[in-house]
Amino acid sequence: METYVNLVKLCVGADSVDDLRTWQASGRAHGSDGLPRHVTRMWPRREAELLNGGSLYWVFRGVILARQRVVRLDEALGEDGITRCAIVLDPQIHLTESAPRRPFQGWRYLAPGDAPRDLPEGRAGDDDLPLDLQMALAEIGVR
């Protein structure tokens, strides 16, 4: 029995994993502890499962291409005075097999069995394939 759950989220404003890396290298993406974080409106109800080994899977232009392990959830007070959820992430970005995803808002839960596998370290250049080609390969089951 799987004891953890993942999240899947659109990487808004980023067209590639390199865009995500660039954003997270900026100070704006970090909390006071220096770890990257993503602030979202809603707090995951399945917090305990998420924090038991879950990751945030990033969707770029309709395709999951990467993930980051979720370290913890922090409260984040917005400039508007509204409390939000800061998903604190491990700084290491793992490339994954490409997996098409239909558009959605916010984030969704992703069961471990439905998550794309990590790419072996030696395949780090795989995200250099054109996105259209990655999507076509994922649709026919070649990753």
Side-chain angles (χ1 to χ4, degrees):
M1 183 169 131
E2 295 159 342
T3 60
Y4 70 96
V5 69
N6 301 299
L7 296 178
V8 62
K9 174 99 175 74
L10 301 179
C11 198
V12 178
D15 289 329
S16 69
V17 177
D18 283 338
D19 290 342
L20 176 63
R21 285 187 182 112
T22 300
W23 165 251
Q24 289 189 355
S26 77
R28 298 178 307 193
H30 293 181
S32 60
D33 59 3
L35 292 175
R37 62 192 209 149
H38 177 77
V39 178
T40 185
R41 228 172 19 123
M42 303 300 291
W43 197 281
R45 290 186 180 151
R46 298 173 68 182
E47 176 179 0
E49 291 171 89
L50 180 61
L51 297 177
N52 195 32
S55 291
L56 176 60
Y57 283 79
W58 291 108
V59 178
F60 301 87
R61 295 179 53 206
V63 181
I64 294 174
L65 296 176
R67 73 170 180 88
Q68 288 177 278
R69 188 177 58 78
V70 175
V71 174
R72 68 177 186 273
L73 304 178
D74 290 346
E75 285 188 3
L77 189 61
E79 293 177 11
D80 56 6
I82 296 174
T83 300
R84 294 180 169 80
C85 177
I87 303 170
V88 180
L89 303 165
D90 185 297
Q92 184 175 6
I93 297 172
H94 301 272
L95 299 180
T96 66
E97 295 176 331
S98 54
R101 227 11 111 178
R102 288 202 167 116
F104 60 92
Q105 290 186 336
W107 46 261
R108 299 288 183 267
Y109 290 110
L110 180 65
D114 296 333
R117 293 179 297 189
D118 288 355
L119 291 178
E121 291 297 320
R123 291 180 59 187
D126 282 12
D127 66 338
D128 292 337
L129 291 174
L131 190 56
D132 293 342
L133 179 57
Q134 288 183 50
M135 289 176 64
L137 290 172
E139 285 178 16
I140 62 170
V142 179
R143 300 175 188 200

